[in-house]
Amino acid sequence: MTIAVAAFATWSEERLRRTMATPTEEHGMEYVTAIDDGIEILSPSGRFDAFAAPQIAEELARIQAASDRLVVDLSAVPFIDSTGLATLVRAMKHAREQNASFVLCGLVEPVRIIFELTRLDRAFDIADDCASALATLRQ
């Protein structure tokens, strides 16, 4: 528990908040980026759908150009559609091509079910929470 609190404290001190412009407020998505011990963390919040996917894809590309270790924390994403899934699959493929690390974490139950139904849970490295994902990448 102490490690998770320490990791979160470091993460929250270094975070940058960005609000994404989307066509309607209903589909608005916000995300936070942080760096913890050289590991980039992207934490979107809101619906990860066709409206949000292009901006998340742009941010993933920016991060992947600068870092070879990335965690995407989906703990504040209650919904993901096929466009959101495709965005993550492209980022995962890019990471593999670059021999980089890419870990998802914090999948809430509805999102986890989508990953299981599509069998993408077998393709991605998925950790229960951000602290576990960070610990995995530090090894």
Side-chain angles (χ1 to χ4, degrees):
M1 182 68 171
T2 305
I3 293 171
V5 172
F8 181 76
T10 302
W11 173 82
S12 61
E13 289 172 10
E14 297 178 16
R15 70 183 178 180
L16 303 170
R17 181 166 299 280
R18 297 181 182 139
T19 303
M20 297 170 32
T22 54
T24 65
E25 209 169 279
E26 174 185 325
H27 293 286
M29 183 176 225
E30 195 173 83
Y31 62 89
V32 175
T33 60
I35 300 173
D36 188 319
D37 195 26
I39 302 169
E40 293 270 354
I41 304 164
L42 174 65
S43 302
S45 62
R47 295 172 56 92
F48 195 170
D49 56 17
F51 293 103
Q55 291 151 329
I56 294 294
E58 185 178 305
E59 187 64 14
L60 285 166
R62 184 197 66 75
I63 291 169
Q64 288 183 307
S67 178
D68 64 349
R69 297 185 296 169
L70 172 61
V71 172
V72 179
D73 180 3
L74 297 174
S75 61
V77 175
F79 172 83
I80 189 166
D81 71 3
S82 60
T83 311
L85 289 173
T87 301
L88 293 174
V89 167
R90 278 192 297 278
M92 175 194 57
K93 285 183 176 181
H94 178 76
R96 288 184 179 167
E97 290 168 0
Q98 302 302 313
N99 201 27
S101 300
F102 184 85
V103 179
L104 301 179
C105 68
L107 279 65
V108 295
E109 193 64 24
V111 173
R112 182 173 294 281
I113 289 169
I114 295 297
F115 273 81
E116 290 170 357
L117 288 173
T118 58
R119 297 188 183 230
L120 286 173
D121 60 323
R122 297 178 184 188
F124 284 93
D125 290 328
I126 301 176
D128 289 335
D129 54 37
C130 197
S132 299
L134 291 170
T136 298
L137 291 181
R138 287 188 183 117
Q139 295 177 356

